[in-house]
Amino acid sequence: MIAIGSDHGGFELKEKVIAHLKERGLEYKDFGTYEKKSCDYPVYGRAVAKSVASGESEKGIVICTTGLGISMTANKEKGIRCAVCADTVSAQLTRLHNDANVLSMGAGIIGENLAISIVDTFLDTEFSGDERHMRRIRLIEEE
Ligand code: RB5
């Protein structure tokens, strides 16, 4: 399952990403927000991150205006590696090298078509599993 959430700034793009996930036949859980009214991105970033960290969801997608605040929130959850991506190369490499489990995007930064390509790249790229990348991920997790 894919956990998805946004604040008001990411609401419209979230709806478009959800439509795309539906088209692809992928299971998802929408953690809100469910309207364009101003709200607080940490609420939604945290809900998505908790769903991924607990194993309820395999991956997460978070969206705010910049992709920044909501990614900062997601990354506070233990076990979450959330990457802000505004291009498909970053989406591919953060899966291959960092085994990122949450994708963050800025609805005020990128357009819908690019966002959908980023989502597909993120979801369809497997972690390389290379020892050097596993070692570095372990170092990220160190307290
Ligand atoms: C909301 O106006 C905006 O601050 C938020 O969507 C996000 O970009 C924060 O990082």
Side-chain angles (χ1 to χ4, degrees):
M1 182 157 74
I2 297 155
I4 185 164
S6 77
D7 70 354
H8 56 288
F11 173 71
E12 285 180 354
L13 183 57
K14 173 170 71 68
E15 297 308 298
K16 287 176 178 149
V17 170
I18 285 175
H20 181 68
L21 297 178
K22 274 188 195 158
E23 250 172 52
R24 285 192 52 170
L26 296 172
E27 204 191 342
Y28 68 90
K29 185 166 174 182
D30 182 1
F31 285 88
T33 183
Y34 305 112
E35 56 183 351
K36 282 177 73 175
K37 191 166 150 263
S38 182
C39 60
D40 299 328
Y41 59 79
V43 172
Y44 309 96
R46 184 168 298 119
V48 168
K50 281 188 183 298
S51 176
V52 175
S54 71
E56 178 191 41
S57 298
E58 187 193 333
K59 289 198 180 80
I61 300 173
V62 292
I63 308 171
C64 63
T65 304
T66 58
L68 299 173
I70 204 161
S71 73
M72 291 176 190
T73 312
N75 273 318
K76 291 198 73 175
E77 201 66 35
K78 193 167 171 50
I80 293 302
R81 291 178 300 283
C82 176
V84 185
C85 295
D87 64 275
T88 55
V89 177
S90 298
Q92 183 191 33
L93 291 180
T94 200
R95 288 289 309 126
L96 284 171
H97 292 191
N98 318 124
D99 196 15
N101 46 16
V102 178
L103 166 67
S104 182
M105 297 186 293
I109 307 295
I110 58 172
E112 178 192 337
N113 291 341
L114 178 55
I116 297 299
S117 297
I118 289 170
V119 166
D120 283 341
T121 303
F122 186 83
L123 296 180
D124 297 340
T125 305
E126 292 299 322
F127 175 49
S128 69
D130 290 348
E131 178 46 40
R132 69 184 190 286
H133 293 311
M134 289 173 69
R135 182 179 69 243
R136 290 163 191 163
I137 290 166
R138 280 196 299 272
L139 286 168
I140 294 175
E141 301 292 336
E142 267 181 18
E143 308 235 341

